[in-house]
């Protein structure tokens, strides 16, 4: 057998062995048996020196071709085997994707806070700032400065929680913040004041001795009742949906005039009438009005120079309407199964 | 205020549906709370005539009647005895539902089929008489609906009258509002009295001693009245608005009060000594037995109507029994007076005695409506009780209260409302309200004479409101303020407060809101001594209950209550927080301090055990981790902890947090005794921090230092030290030995027990070295590491373990 024939035989044997290799290990041993130090092809290459000079170039060329060819076949086969091996490995690693995920604990804001934040964001967008004031208040800020007559029933021990100190009470609304802010600031004033308020109401599904209000106040030159309407309409649409209608009904509050109770078209039935709105199609959501001139002059503003509007809404009421919570006491029980739902 | 529409139609004509009327009243400021339809009960009850009465074949006490109801003749079995053939009676047809809810069905009574039921007055809720069938007047037409023929079909509105509108506590006031919104015309009842020749002033006299409390007292004398029940239609009206008929004279005073809003009182003239009325403050120690049969102690703050022998009525609140109208009364002294509102309120509240009369007087009724009301009642007493009205009216009115004149600037109206109303429109609205309007100065100003029935209208702004509500709030164009000076946003502290909440939420805590008031023993439950500063709190004068009688000085009890409430409901993994104010009495200040706190409580574990592993139970280091998260979120770096002893906490598991060297709060595991008091099944960790300290030290703007450009080298150190040596001591030694290349020290193992000598512990730290200007070599890092090891050995007696 000529050396060239021998090389051709090695070539064929090599290809077969490489193709037959069914694992990376077998492939490696095939490689060693042909290309290793003691491999068949290596042996031929080593013997090149023994050849005559005129034979050498042809055989050398052939031997190199065979080596390159075998190397390329090995590399191709290796890729195939590697990919098969990876395939098998991935198959073994399949998981039951229906097993529960690994969640990290996470809490939530209380529903009341969520609603207050929602309201706050709307009014920040309208150019308001957030003001706070004391929850233990003087009778002056809670009643007198808000134009409430000395004999007004709301002041009675039946309705308002008083401390042992004379003239000091738990604020019955967030309205005193209006007065405190106006005393310290010159107009224009655009604020909302969210916070706790207290009344001497025995707890039942719709009453709580503690609740939350958001008070709003705008005092500036040329503020009109139309501005109040427009502002409340923007608020109602953002808070309850773009399709909401708003209506104002005349009412009486000591510290605003003209005063209004404000309804939105029922969020459940869209105004057609349902159980939530007792069939009337409207839900009362807040009280509002133009700031009474007495309140303005009480803080040193000139009612002929500036005018203003104020509004106040119950946060729990809005939460109850929006989420159909049927008992106000649930907000303060803090049962985790309640908190988790919002 | 209940208003019967049948009755209201006496005073105003209107031609719109009930729904429209309700809508119009609502939108003009008279809120309609409910609409009721009395007479609806009497659906399917008709006038029937008894044709024949025969004995029942099987029962002695029953009879069988043939009853004509026009459309047919019904056989009805009946147990009553008071009827005779030819009588007309109410018949409930099959399908009728009686006021008590009973449905009339075809039935057999002792073998005889009965198709309907003849009714007594009580069964139809038309009277008290249960003794037999209600025998109807013979003129009624057989087959007619009873509700209609008896005028019972009515609509009753329950109105919410705001405190500024005393005039609407009478039907005429309501009628005025209805006339405005419907365009109808107000019709006040015409007064026609035929007075007899005798003079009232010869019979009686009135003296007002305290005119500050009683500006006016009007009296009339009506003699020869026959006390008896009022006619049916009259009683029906009273019942429709919720008044109980008593007798004709008393009914008339109530009727006229409902009509005019002026409370009236009828005295039995014969029982007034010398026919003499003296209005004065009561003497201390005087008493009166009021009509509700309660003996009232009087004092000089209370105004009374007296005769020379003593009090005969609590002015404006309730009459006394001595001068009460009885069935033997023949002569009436009728009182129509005006009392000072505040005094009536004081008396009524003080005595806990609220009447329809006091409710009206305390809001302020029209001082100039007294004569009209007295005349109206006298007229009705003549018509309905056969009385003779004596000539003349006794009217003591020392200081006449005049209508108020107000000026209204037309441009001011439009400025406040944002409208463009012409002055003529304003004029029209004000006149429709019953005001005299005169124009002044080229149409820019109106002078308005406000009648005394509207005491609420004192200023220009009050008139602007009237114009707005009558014009219609909803017709006013909506706009937004056109301000230049507005800038919305949250203050820095409000932003930090929001971020604090976010941090706790991200750490797995649920926000709660708890009452600001707690039980007075709150401090005992958390092991605080009575002398502890937090035990000093503000108590309420008039709490709803002992449980809610003081203001909280710490948020912790509220949160422990939340834990307890959840544990009681079989929820054991709890992590909750609250941000809220606490109240601490402040010396020399009018109001208490109200620091804003944030506090949390956690127990159990972070969720239930899972398929991939058990959840670790919450301990001290969970609380610490939550606080470390918070401090990182707020960018607070200058902080440290100090072991602290708080009675509420486990003495070995409690730490005080210092920020910028000031105490910012405390956290730890609660004391086992507190745990026992609350009955918690596992340990509970709590924390409470001052929000103000967090706010003042928070750094919301992060400092960007770039990302390290060169790789670092991490080397581990394992060491055994005395158990008493703290992690902080070791970490401090490590950090202070070399301050340039060492970037991070992280404890990754802590071990005591097997293979470690008693009294010792093993710790392992990973130290990361990095240079900012080059890639550090192993040799450089090792060199520093060796220095550190040497100092640890020397200063802390550490034994370095080579792994
Ligand atoms: Zn609805």
């Amino acid at each position: 057998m000529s050396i060239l024939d021998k090389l051709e035989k090695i070539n064929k044997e090599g290809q077969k062995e490489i193709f037959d290799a069914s694992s990376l290990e077998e492939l490696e041993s095939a490689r060693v048996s042909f290309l290793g130090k003691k491999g068949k092809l290596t042996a031929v290459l080593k013997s090149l020196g023994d050849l005559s000079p005129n034979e050498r170039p042809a055989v050398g060329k052939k031997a190199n071709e065979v080596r390159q060819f075998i190397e390329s076949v090995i590399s191709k086969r290796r890729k195939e085997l590697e990919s098969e091996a990876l395939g098998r490995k991935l198959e073994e690693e399949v998981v039951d994707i229906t097993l529960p995920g690994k969640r990290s604990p996470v809490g939530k804001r209380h529903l009341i806070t969520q609603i207050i934040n929602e309201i706050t964001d709307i009014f920040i967008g309208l150019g308001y700032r957030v003001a706070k004031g004391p929850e233990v208040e003087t009778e002056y800020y809670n009643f007198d400065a808000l134009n409430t007559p000395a004999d007004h029933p709301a002041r009675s021990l039946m309705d308002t929680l008083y401390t042992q100190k004379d003239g000091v009470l738990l604020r019955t609304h967030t309205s005193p913040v209006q007065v405190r802010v106006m005393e310290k600031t010159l107009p224009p004033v655009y604020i909302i004041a969210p916070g706790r308020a207290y009344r001497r109401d025995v707890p039942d599904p719709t009453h709580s001795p503690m609740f939350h209000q958001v008070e709003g106040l705008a005092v500036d030159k040329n503020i009109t009742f139309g501005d109040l309407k427009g502002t409340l309409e923007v608020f109602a649409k953002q808070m309850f949906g773009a399709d909401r209608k708003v209506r104002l009904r005349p009412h009486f509050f000591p510290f605003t005039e003209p005063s209004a109770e404000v309804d939105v078209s029922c969020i459940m039935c869209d105004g057609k009438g349902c159980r939530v709105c007792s069939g009337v199609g409207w839900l009362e959501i807040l009280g509002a009005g133009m700031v009474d001139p007495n309140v303005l002059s009480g803080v040193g503003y000139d009612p002929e120079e500036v005018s203003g509007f104020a509004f106040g809404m119950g946060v729990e009421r809005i939460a109850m309407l929006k989420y159909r919570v049927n008992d106000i006491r649930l907000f303060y029980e803090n049962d985790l199964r309640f908190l988790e739902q919002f | 205020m209940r208003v019967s529409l049948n009755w209201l139609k006496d005073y105003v004509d209107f031609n719109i549906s009930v729904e429209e009327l309700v809508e119009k009243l609502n939108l003009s400021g008279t809120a309609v709370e409910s609409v009721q339809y009395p007479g609806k009960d009497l659906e399917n009850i008709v006038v029937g005539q008894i044709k024949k009465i025969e004995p029942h074949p099987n029962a002695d006490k029953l009879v069988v009647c043939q009853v004509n109801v026009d459309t047919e003749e019904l056989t009805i079995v009946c147990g009553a005895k008071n009827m005779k053939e030819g009588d007309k009676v109410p018949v409930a047809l099959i399908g009728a539902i009686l006021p008590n809810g009973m449905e009339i069905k075809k039935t057999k009574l002792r073998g005889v089929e009965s198709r309907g039921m003849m009714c007594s007055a009580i069964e139809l809720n038309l009277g008290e008489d249960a003794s037999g069938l209600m025998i109807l007047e013979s003129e009624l037409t057989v087959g007619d609906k009873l509700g209609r023929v008896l005028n019972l079909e009515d609509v009753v509105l329950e109105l919410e009258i705001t405190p500024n509108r005393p005039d609407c506590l009478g039907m005429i006031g309501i009628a005025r509002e209805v006339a405005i919104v419907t365009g109808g015309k107000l019709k006040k009842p015409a007064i026609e009295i035929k007075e007899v020749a005798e003079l009232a002033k010869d019979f009686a006299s009135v003296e007002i001693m305290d005119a500050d409390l009683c500006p006016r007292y009007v009296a009339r004398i009506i003699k020869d009245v026959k006390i008896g029940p009022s006619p049916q239609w009259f009683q029906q009206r009273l019942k429709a608005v919720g008044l109980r008929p008593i007798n004709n004279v008393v009914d008339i005073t109530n009727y006229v009060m409902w009509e005019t809003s002026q409370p009236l009182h009828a005295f039995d003239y014969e029982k007034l000594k010398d026919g003499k009325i003296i209005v004065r403050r009561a003497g201390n120690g005087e008493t009166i037995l009021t009509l509700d049969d309660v003996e009232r102690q009087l004092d000089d703050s209370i105004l009374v109507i007296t005769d020379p022998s003593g009090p005969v009525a609590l002015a404006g609140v309730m009459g006394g029994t001595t001068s009460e109208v009885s069935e033997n009364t023949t002569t009436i002294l009728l009182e129509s007076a005006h009392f000072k509102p505040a005094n009536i309120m004081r008396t009524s509240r003080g005595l806990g005695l609220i009447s329809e009369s006091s409710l009206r007087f305390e809001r302020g009724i029209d001082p100039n409506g007294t004569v009209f009301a007295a005349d109206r009642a006298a007229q009705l007493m003549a018509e309905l009780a056969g009385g003779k009205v004596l000539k003349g009216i006794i009217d003591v009115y020392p200081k006449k209260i005049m209508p108020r004149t107000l000026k209204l600037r037309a441009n001011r109206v439009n400025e406040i409302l944002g409208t463009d109303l012409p002055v003529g429109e304003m004029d029209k609205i004000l006149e429709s309200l019953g005001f005299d309007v005169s124009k002044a100065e080229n149409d820019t100003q109106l002078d308005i004479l406000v009648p005394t029935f509207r005491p609420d209208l004192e200023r220009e702004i009050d008139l602007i409101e009237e114009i707005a509500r009558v014009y219609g709030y909803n017709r006013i164009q909506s706009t937004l303020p056109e301000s230049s000076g507005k800038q919305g946003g949250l203050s820095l502290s409000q932003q930090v407060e929001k971020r604090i909440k976010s941090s706790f939420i991200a750490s797995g805590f649920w926000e709660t809101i708890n009452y600001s008031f707690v039980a007075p023993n709150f401090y005992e439950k958390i092991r605080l001594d009575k002398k502890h500063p937090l035990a000093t709190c503000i108590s309420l004068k008039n709490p709803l209950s002992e449980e809610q009688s003081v203001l909280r000085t710490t948020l912790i009890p509220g949160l422990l209550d939340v834990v307890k409430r959840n544990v009681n409901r079989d929820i054991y993994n709890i992590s909750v927080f609250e941000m809220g104010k606490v109240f601490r009495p402040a010396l020399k200040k009018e109001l208490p301090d109200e620091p804003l706190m944030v506090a949390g409580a956690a127990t159990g574990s972070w969720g239930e055990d899972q398929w991939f592993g058990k959840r670790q139970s919450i301990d001290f280091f969970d609380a610490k981790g939550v606080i470390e998260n918070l401090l990182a979120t707020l960018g607070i770096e200058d902080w440290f902890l100090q072991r602290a002893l708080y009675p509420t906490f486990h003495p070995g598991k409690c730490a005080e947090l210092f920020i910028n060297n000031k105490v910012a709060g405390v956290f730890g595991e609660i004391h086992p005794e507190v745990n026992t008091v609350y009955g918690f099944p596992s340990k509970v960790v709590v924390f409470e921090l001052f929000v103000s300290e967090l706010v003042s030290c928070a750094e919301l703007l992060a400092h960007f230092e770039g990302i390290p450009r060169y790789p670092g080298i991490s080397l581990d150190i394992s060491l055994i030290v005395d158990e008493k040596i703290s992690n902080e001591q070791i970490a401090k030694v490590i950090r202070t030995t070399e301050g340039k290349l060492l970037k991070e020290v992280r404890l990754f193992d802590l071990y005591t027990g097997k293979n470690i000598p008693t009294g010792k512990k093993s710790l392992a730290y990973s130290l990361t070295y990095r240079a900012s200007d080059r890639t550090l070599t192993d040799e450089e890092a090792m060199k520093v590491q060796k220095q550190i090891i040497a100092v640890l050995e020397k200063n802390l007696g550490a034994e370095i373990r080579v792994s």
Side-chain angles (χ1 to χ4, degrees), chain A residues 109 113 130 135-136 157 160 162 165 196 198 200 220 225 227 229 257 259 292 303-304 333 335, chain B residues 409 412 416 459 462 465 473 476 479 483 494 502 511 514 516 541-542 565 569 578 589 594:
Chain A
R109 288 184 165 75
T113 304
V130 178
E135 293 175 22
V136 178
L157 287 167
T160 295
Y162 283 85
K165 200 172 194 171
R196 296 180 178 208
Y198 305 86
R200 202 170 175 280
D220 205 339
F225 193 82
D227 292 338
K229 273 187 73 186
E257 185 149 28
S259 303
D292 193 288
E304 292 289 319
E333 276 178 15
D335 186 314
Chain B
R409 292 165 291 168
R412 184 71 177 158
I416 294 288
R459 300 167 298 161
D462 301 327
E465 175 170 60
Y473 282 3
I476 295 172
T479 49
S483 175
Q494 288 158 0
S502 299
E511 191 192 4
N514 296 292
S516 304
K541 186 191 275 178
N542 55 338
R565 213 171 294 129
R569 296 169 184 183
E578 178 179 17
K589 282 206 281 185
E594 297 187 7

Side-chain angles (χ1 to χ4, degrees), chain B residues 243-256:
Chain B
L243 294 171
R244 197 165 59 89
I246 294 166
N247 60 48
N248 46 9
V249 167
V250 174
D251 290 353
I252 287 166
T253 59
N254 284 332
Y255 183 96
V256 175

Side-chain angles (χ1 to χ4, degrees), chain A residues 266 269 273-274 277:
Chain A
C266 178
C269 65
C274 70
C277 58

Side-chain angles (χ1 to χ4, degrees), chain B residues 28-94:
Chain B
S28 61
T30 312
V32 180
E33 288 180 326
S34 72
V35 183
Q36 292 149 30
Y37 296 88
K40 271 231 159 136
D41 298 1
L42 302 180
E43 205 73 2
N44 288 320
I45 294 165
V46 299
V47 179
Q49 187 169 32
I50 302 171
K51 291 287 178 193
K52 197 190 277 177
I53 303 176
E54 292 172 317
H56 192 290
N58 309 320
D60 293 347
K61 290 187 172 168
L62 297 177
V63 290
V64 179
C65 304
Q66 298 303 318
V67 184
N68 177 19
V69 293
D70 188 37
T71 47
E72 57 186 321
E73 204 163 288
L74 302 171
T75 305
I76 298 176
V77 179
C78 182
K81 301 229 163 7
N82 64 326
M83 69 287 194
K84 57 181 190 301
E85 289 179 359
D87 275 351
K88 289 186 179 163
V89 292
V91 178
L93 304 175
I94 304 292

